[in-house]
Amino acid sequence: MSRFLLIPALAVASAAKAEVSYAYEIRPILSDKCFACHGPDGGKREADLRLDTAEGATASAIVPGDPGKSEAWQRILSQDPEELMPPPSSHLSLTNAEKALIKRWIEEGAKYQPHWSFQPLPESVAVPQPQDAAWGTQTLDRFVLARLEQEQLKPSPAADPLRWLRRASLDLTGLPPTTEEITNFQGAAATDFPAAKAAAVERLLASPRFGEHFAVPWLDAARYADSYGYQSDQLTAFWPWRDWVLRSLNENLPIDRFISWQVAGDLLPDATREQKLATTFNRLHRLTNEGGSVAQEFLVENMADRVHTFGSVFLALTMECTRCHDHKYDPIGMRDYYSLGAFFNSIPERGFYTSQGIQPSPGLLLPNAEQESAMAAAKERISAASAAVEARRAASDPELDAWLAGAPVAPLGVDLVSHQTFDDGVVKLDGDSGVPLPGVLAHDRCDPFSVDLVIRDTVANPEPVILLHRSFGTDVGYNGLELFLAGGRLEARVVRDWPGNALGVRSEPVVTKDQWVRITWTYDGSSNTNGIKLYVDGKPVPVEITADEIYKSIATPSHGDGTATIGQRFRDRGFAGGEVDEIRVFKRELGSLEVAALQDPAAWQAALADPVAHRAELREAWLRSSDTAFREALEKLRLERSALIAAEEKVFEIPVMKETPHPVPAHVLARGAYDAPRSKENEIGRDVFSQILIPFPEDAPRDRLGLAKWLVDPRHPLTSRVFVNRVWANFFGSGIVETTDNFGLQGSLPSHPELLDWLARDFISGGWDLKKLCRSIVLSSTYGQDSRMRSDLARRDPANRLLARATSRRLSSEQIRDLALASSDLLQQQDGGPPVSPYQPGGDLWRESNSMSPAYHQSKGADLYRRSLYSVWKRTAPLPNMLAFDSPTREVCTIRRPQTNTPLQALVLLNDEQFVEAARALAMKVSSLPPERRFAEAFIAATSRPPTDKEAALLDALHREQLELFKATPEEAKKILAIGEGPAPPDLDPVEAAALTVVCQAILNLDASVWSR
């Protein structure tokens, strides 16, 4: 049986032709009218009746083959409101046609089938052989024509060459053809139209503009923006990922790699910088830096956003509701949601961003060639300086022996920069006030230091309390040095952005409540956890590593003045109930013997008494405190490390994915709440859907790389179907499945199921080749039809689901602005780079809507006229002229943009500064032509065709009317010519120029300009 969506006008006739299909006819009815109460969601299921499975339905409600004995059918027919199904309280009802289908289905045996999109993708799809063998240039045309013949319809005639060229140019590059391209195509088409089309398609596919156009829906789906969103919505810089998308599309990176790299490029063997950069896809979600935010809440939110985006982008499944309960319509449970989320929760992230100056970790440095060379040179100099340090250590025996012969005292005064004792013996801390240490520890991660504290903890708080810090920031993130105490455990950190760009070590419980203890923290400036040591009462304590990668500076000013403080930090948990007796700070790393001597001076004398046994410790103390050559070598090493930090600071950084050493435990969270109880009982492992799709590959690792392999497995029912359906929608305005964002039970049925399957299988077999797919669509006879509405189709298929004609549709917001710039020759083509800030109406809308926002700074010069793809995208205040034409805010993943038609759109086209300036530039472009050619050339530039006689007459009348108006009000003419940054030529006749500008405004506002037909 042929599977297809029933067009309403044809439903009755078609339904009589074949056995009723559960997947295509019955399930949609049950999903709409029954599954909310009798579907997959066990938590909301009523009467213990499940109608979404054969087992559940036939247990009590349906007797296959016998409607009379089927309780469900009797309830459907009931006149008793207490018995009727659906119940009147649901405000749902079945039509007579739906009842007839259900009855026939029961009579035919009530056969259940899997949902169409969950069924395996066929290894091959039979290509139909329509009666009209002469029509069609591509294999896909046979599927379309066979369906039309089945419905006794004929395809539309081919579109004229210029209409096809404009359509193809807009659909492949987002830009209209230039006048030169139109002229050349007309000449070639007159000789050989098919060859001219083929040549045009190759030119368009090879253009860098192809990637720019196809990137836009991907950026919507990936929720790409240039700001973080939420409260202050500070700006960020994700644009290198956007440029990676452009490069990948233009280079025709196979889509299975395009997908896999974004999911798990960092986990590929010997992953390249490009593959790691691709994973920024998973980091484009909103982030907050609002004070008082709860880290655990936003870690859950980040995970949830990744799951929602993964489900929407790659699977076209609505995952959001399964965060709190089993899906009401699709066979997806809460456990599926959290097991999928377990793939995305194990990265070293904090959940917030700290400031504009520090990118959220984990991150990736993206140096240019010059910066790469500078960093490599700095690392070579560090290696040389390290070798010099070791060489001096190896050659130091004679001087060491001479020093030991002099019975030296412990060098505990060398490089001591602060030593505080207190008049009253101790300082008692309340957690809100600390002991400031001005002028000390103003260090970067290249600087060695030692801190020695004598403290008593009278509370033993199990939560981390700040013992010591020298840092900048707030509770959403600090950068600098910090020492914590939690439940007797010490944790020392060297931090730029915790935990993905930091060093950290943590001890076992070593601090006992109510006991005085000496804590010493030393650091050698190596940017390595091996260089961090903790001592208690003069003895080293074993530690575990909590963070082990750091780059760039840890002394980036943000909030606060960076004064080192004991026991308190802004918006942090202070050392309440703590007592401090003594503080020492050194500007060098102390050796283990020196630390022991701080606790017990006799340790030094004991070492001197047996210098052979303690030679290594004595050597380190002498080298670091007294040997000039060694200290000079250490200083040289410190300076070279500082130079590397300075080189890194110049390098662009972007957030990416990176796995933690061990998976973070994942749990099924009751009601989706971040603070829901977590235990072994609700802990869950990484897995894919338990009831649908294909199983997780047995030979794949249980991580995102394994998930990516599962996703692009050629057997996967959804990935290729979803992708080719969205590509199809780019060319026809609607997918074969109209709900491009939902292939679940509540989504639309495919209009041409076999065609979708053939396209998906051919796409996989052809190497996931996007340009090949685009080529086959654009060169097809289906795509090449005229778009005019026929009287027979207006009644039978007004939405063009049968594809008996091409589709007319309004251009996207980006295309409309870009068309105005391109047709007026204002468009400045520059590939990639940071976002630009075009005209914005009124004052500073960013600051007007949010006083915490940075100010809007309009670009100057050529940057005003870049493609809209490159315009700055602020989540809480997108550009108004983009919103007017239905652009999303990109706060969350968006697959389908709505298409509205409102008076506001005409207001934008006629009044927005960008469009007025474009109209003036278009007028200037044609003003040097003979008067009789000006309107026609302007019209062709915007619409890609000459005006009809009627259109030309209307434009001429408008021009004459405007001439008279501006002659009477010449000051108004000057005003319209002054709009925009680009200067008007000084030798213009302002009245003529203004009149011609208004004509061009009208042209740019026409449906012929802003629609593709």
Side-chain angles (χ1 to χ4, degrees):
M1 183 185 80
S2 177
R3 304 173 296 139
F4 53 80
L5 167 67
L6 293 176
I7 307 302
L10 309 173
V12 175
S14 298
K17 295 178 183 177
E19 185 178 84
V20 175
S21 166
Y22 173 79
Y24 284 85
E25 297 170 86
I26 298 302
R27 187 196 293 271
I29 298 172
L30 299 182
S31 183
D32 279 345
K33 309 295 174 64
C34 307
F35 284 0
C37 298
H38 304 295
D41 184 2
K44 297 294 184 181
R45 193 178 300 138
E46 296 186 11
D48 197 26
L49 172 61
R50 185 168 186 178
L51 293 177
D52 63 310
T53 66
E55 296 78 11
T58 57
S60 60
I62 294 176
V63 178
D66 195 340
K69 294 182 179 179
S70 299
E71 177 70 14
W73 177 246
Q74 298 305 316
R75 290 292 195 97
I76 288 171
L77 296 179
S78 176
Q79 301 299 311
D80 183 349
E82 296 296 323
E83 297 288 322
L84 178 64
M85 289 292 160
S89 60
S90 70
H91 304 290
L92 299 172
S93 61
L94 296 169
T95 66
N96 289 333
E98 290 171 335
K99 292 177 182 178
L101 274 174
I102 292 173
K103 182 180 182 182
R104 278 189 52 214
W105 173 64
I106 296 174
E107 289 172 340
E108 292 170 359
K111 298 172 185 175
Y112 274 72
Q113 299 167 304
H115 181 56
W116 71 268
S117 70
F118 302 154
Q119 295 183 35
L121 182 65
E123 288 295 326
S124 63
V125 180
V127 178
Q129 301 298 322
Q131 297 173 9
D132 184 359
W135 190 85
T137 57
Q138 302 289 319
T139 304
L140 67 88
D141 291 321
R142 300 184 190 180
F143 291 91
V144 174
L145 183 58
R147 178 68 194 279
L148 290 176
E149 289 179 348
Q150 187 176 349
E151 305 298 345
Q152 299 180 355
L153 291 170
K154 291 185 178 298
S156 294
D160 69 66
L162 289 189
R163 177 168 285 196
W164 179 92
L165 177 65
R166 174 181 167 84
R167 184 190 301 165
S169 296
L170 288 167
D171 287 346
L172 287 174
T173 69
L175 296 172
T178 65
T179 303
E180 180 182 4
E181 289 166 350
I182 290 171
T183 301
N184 292 340
F185 184 78
Q186 278 185 304
T191 303
D192 188 340
F193 189 22
K197 290 200 294 185
V201 168
E202 294 310 312
R203 172 179 59 79
L204 294 167
L205 289 174
S207 168
R209 313 288 79 84
F210 170 84
E212 290 176 336
H213 174 59
F214 272 80
V216 171
W218 196 258
L219 301 188
D220 283 355
R223 69 271 193 248
Y224 168 84
D226 300 302
S227 69
Y228 287 114
Y230 287 122
Q231 182 195 31
S232 59
D233 198 19
Q234 297 293 308
L235 295 177
T236 184
F238 290 134
W239 60 265
W241 176 84
R242 176 248 286 154
D243 288 357
W244 174 84
V245 172
L246 300 184
R247 288 194 303 275
S248 299
L249 294 173
N250 280 326
E251 294 168 5
N252 205 24
L253 181 71
I255 294 302
D256 57 341
R257 296 186 206 170
F258 182 70
I259 291 171
S260 297
W261 291 8
Q262 292 180 84
V263 173
D266 58 307
L267 298 178
L268 290 167
D270 301 316
T272 66
R273 187 174 288 157
E274 290 276 288
Q275 290 166 337
K276 294 176 183 177
L277 172 59
T279 66
T280 298
F281 171 86
N282 295 296
R283 304 294 307 281
L284 296 171
H285 49 75
R286 294 177 295 166
L287 283 175
T288 187
N289 70 339
E290 183 178 1
S293 298
V294 179
Q296 190 61 51
E297 176 182 4
F298 282 91
L299 289 172
V300 171
E301 290 302 319
N302 293 354
M303 177 278 293
D305 186 280
R306 291 169 194 149
V307 171
H308 302 165
T309 301
F310 181 89
S312 295
V313 172
F314 302 120
L315 306 175
L317 294 177
T318 55
M319 300 294 298
E320 288 82 348
C321 65
T322 49
R323 176 176 175 174
C324 301
H325 53 76
D326 292 344
H327 205 292
K328 288 189 176 297
Y329 304 101
D330 299 334
I332 303 172
M334 272 186 80
R335 293 185 67 83
D336 294 332
Y337 181 95
Y338 289 100
S339 63
L340 190 60
F343 288 102
F344 295 102
N345 73 336
S346 296
I347 69 169
E349 62 177 335
R350 180 171 170 80
F352 312 127
Y353 70 97
T354 60
S355 67
Q356 277 190 269
I358 297 178
Q359 283 281 26
S361 62
L364 175 70
L365 295 180
L366 299 172
N368 58 32
E370 180 181 352
Q371 293 166 341
E372 188 103 64
S373 177
M375 289 195 300
K379 290 174 182 177
E380 289 180 4
R381 293 195 301 271
I382 289 173
S383 295
S386 295
V389 168
E390 293 308 313
R392 175 56 193 153
R393 178 181 279 113
S396 64
D397 279 339
E399 292 89 344
L400 173 62
D401 290 336
W403 179 73
L404 289 173
V409 298
L412 297 180
V414 178
D415 295 326
L416 178 65
V417 295
S418 180
H419 182 196
Q420 294 192 34
T421 56
F422 305 99
D423 295 339
D424 296 333
V426 299
V427 171
K428 296 184 178 181
L429 301 171
D430 60 7
D432 295 322
S433 301
V435 179
L437 304 173
V440 302
L441 293 178
H443 295 166
D444 213 321
R445 59 185 175 88
C446 59
D447 301 314
F449 66 86
S450 299
V451 177
D452 183 67
L453 305 171
V454 178
I455 67 160
R456 180 165 65 176
D457 181 8
T458 66
V459 175
N461 194 328
E463 298 298 323
V465 299
I466 191 75
L467 283 186
L468 163 73
H469 79 94
R470 193 272 172 174
S471 60
F472 299 94
T474 71
D475 54 330
V476 293
Y478 305 91
N479 76 101
L481 306 170
E482 48 192 28
L483 180 64
F484 291 98
L485 177 63
R489 297 173 185 263
L490 295 168
E491 182 166 5
R493 297 176 179 177
V494 179
V495 179
R496 178 174 173 86
D497 183 72
W498 184 263
N501 189 355
L503 306 175
V505 299
R506 181 171 54 215
S507 75
E508 291 299 310
V510 290
V511 176
T512 304
K513 182 181 178 183
D514 292 327
Q515 297 294 313
W516 283 101
V517 65
R518 178 182 297 276
I519 296 169
T520 311
W521 172 19
T522 71
Y523 173 63
D524 66 359
S526 65
S527 298
N528 192 295
T529 51
N530 291 333
I532 301 176
K533 294 181 174 63
L534 292 173
Y535 301 82
V536 172
D537 291 336
K539 297 178 181 179
V541 296
V543 295
E544 62 175 336
I545 295 171
T546 54
D548 196 18
E549 181 179 8
I550 196 164
Y551 47 90
K552 292 197 169 186
S553 172
I554 65 163
T556 301
S558 56
H559 186 276
D561 60 8
T563 298
T565 305
I566 302 290
Q568 176 271 337
R569 182 163 64 177
F570 178 71
R571 289 184 181 169
D572 204 352
R573 188 181 293 107
F575 188 26
E579 298 176 358
V580 182
D581 182 45
E582 187 176 15
I583 305 167
R584 287 185 177 91
V585 180
F586 300 80
K587 64 175 184 179
R588 66 180 176 90
E589 178 193 17
L590 296 182
S592 58
L593 181 56
E594 294 173 285
V595 173
L598 286 172
Q599 175 68 13
D600 182 5
W604 182 262
Q605 297 304 321
L608 289 178
D610 190 0
V612 175
H614 297 280
R615 187 173 182 83
E617 300 102 293
L618 288 164
R619 185 195 303 273
E620 288 307 308
W622 167 69
L623 285 172
R624 295 177 185 278
S625 66
S626 306
D627 182 56
T628 301
F630 188 83
R631 285 166 64 88
E632 288 177 351
L634 277 182
E635 176 61 13
K636 174 66 173 174
L637 177 58
R638 188 192 69 81
L639 291 173
E640 297 300 354
R641 288 168 170 167
S642 178
L644 175 60
I645 295 171
E648 290 175 345
E649 280 293 298
K650 299 175 183 178
V651 177
F652 195 93
E653 180 189 358
I654 191 168
V656 293
M657 296 293 279
K658 179 186 176 183
E659 287 288 283
T660 53
H662 304 286
V664 174
H667 300 81
V668 178
L669 301 179
R671 300 180 65 83
Y674 76 91
D675 55 354
R678 303 175 190 224
S679 65
K680 285 294 182 181
E681 284 68 32
N682 65 351
E683 187 172 339
I684 193 164
R686 295 170 172 178
D687 208 347
V688 291
F689 303 93
S690 57
Q691 300 179 59
I692 57 173
L693 309 181
I694 59 175
F696 197 85
E698 292 184 1
D699 60 345
R702 286 278 168 170
D703 57 18
R704 282 180 289 108
L705 184 57
L707 182 65
K709 290 180 178 179
W710 171 82
L711 192 59
V712 298
D713 188 314
R715 301 171 300 142
H716 201 291
L718 286 176
T719 311
S720 58
R721 280 172 171 152
V722 167
F723 189 85
V724 299
N725 186 64
R726 290 178 187 160
V727 174
W728 186 273
N730 175 76
F731 295 102
F732 291 95
S734 177
I736 295 171
V737 178
E738 189 174 9
T739 52
T740 54
D741 55 344
N742 190 357
F743 271 41
L745 273 68
Q746 288 295 93
S748 301
L749 293 171
S751 59
H752 298 73
E754 290 86 359
L755 171 58
L756 179 60
D757 284 355
W758 181 86
L759 287 169
R761 179 53 66 192
D762 184 67
F763 184 58
I764 294 172
S765 301
W768 299 76
D769 188 329
L770 173 60
K771 290 189 177 182
K772 176 178 178 286
L773 175 61
C774 293
R775 183 183 297 110
S776 67
I777 292 174
V778 178
L779 291 177
S780 70
S781 296
T782 303
Y783 180 81
Q785 296 176 99
D786 194 81
S787 62
R788 291 179 177 86
M789 176 64 80
R790 295 168 7 205
S791 58
D792 58 335
L793 297 178
R795 178 179 60 85
R796 298 182 65 183
D797 186 20
N800 197 32
R801 302 297 295 143
L802 295 175
L803 301 170
R805 60 184 176 89
T807 304
S808 297
R809 64 188 188 278
R810 199 205 68 218
L811 303 181
S812 70
S813 54
E814 292 88 351
Q815 286 177 301
I816 290 172
R817 179 177 173 273
D818 293 349
L819 179 141
L821 295 176
S823 60
S824 62
D825 289 348
L826 284 176
L827 185 63
Q828 298 293 313
Q829 293 291 8
Q830 176 186 330
D831 299 341
V836 295
S837 302
Y839 297 116
Q840 186 175 224
D844 185 346
L845 297 184
W846 288 8
R847 296 284 294 171
E848 287 178 19
S849 62
N850 183 353
S851 61
M852 301 178 69
S853 169
Y856 186 84
H857 297 289
Q858 180 184 297
S859 295
K860 300 294 181 183
D863 282 349
L864 275 175
Y865 311 109
R866 298 279 304 281
R867 284 198 76 167
S868 302
L869 167 79
Y870 302 115
S871 294
V872 65
W873 205 287
K874 197 165 192 293
R875 283 182 160 120
T876 59
L879 292 165
N881 56 12
M882 294 288 104
L883 287 181
F885 288 97
D886 307 316
S887 286
T889 64
R890 291 185 179 161
E891 293 179 282
V892 294
C893 165
T894 302
I895 302 298
R896 277 201 301 170
R897 293 187 183 186
Q899 187 166 100
T900 62
N901 291 291
T902 69
L904 184 60
Q905 294 165 356
L907 183 71
V908 169
L909 292 174
L910 290 171
N911 294 276
D912 185 271
E913 188 168 5
Q914 191 85 84
F915 289 95
V916 176
E917 183 181 26
R920 189 194 74 203
L922 179 57
M924 298 308 97
K925 174 181 174 179
V926 301
S927 62
S928 61
L929 299 173
E932 65 274 11
R933 289 182 52 197
R934 293 174 183 170
F935 305 154
E937 290 300 320
F939 196 92
I940 291 171
T943 69
S944 310
R945 66 170 175 84
T948 64
D949 291 343
K950 182 178 180 181
E951 288 167 336
L954 288 170
L955 293 174
D956 182 64
L958 175 62
H959 180 252
R960 285 186 277 107
E961 175 191 87
Q962 294 299 311
L963 269 178
E964 293 304 316
L965 286 172
F966 286 124
K967 284 178 182 177
T969 57
E971 291 303 315
E972 295 300 316
K974 293 178 181 179
K975 286 181 182 180
I976 196 171
L977 296 178
I979 294 174
E981 293 282 321
D987 56 347
L988 281 179
D989 174 357
V991 170
E992 172 58 34
L996 189 53
T997 295
V998 173
V999 172
C1000 291
Q1001 279 187 279
I1003 291 172
L1004 291 176
N1005 194 45
L1006 293 174
D1007 279 1
S1009 295
V1010 300
W1011 277 64
S1012 174
R1013 299 190 182 279

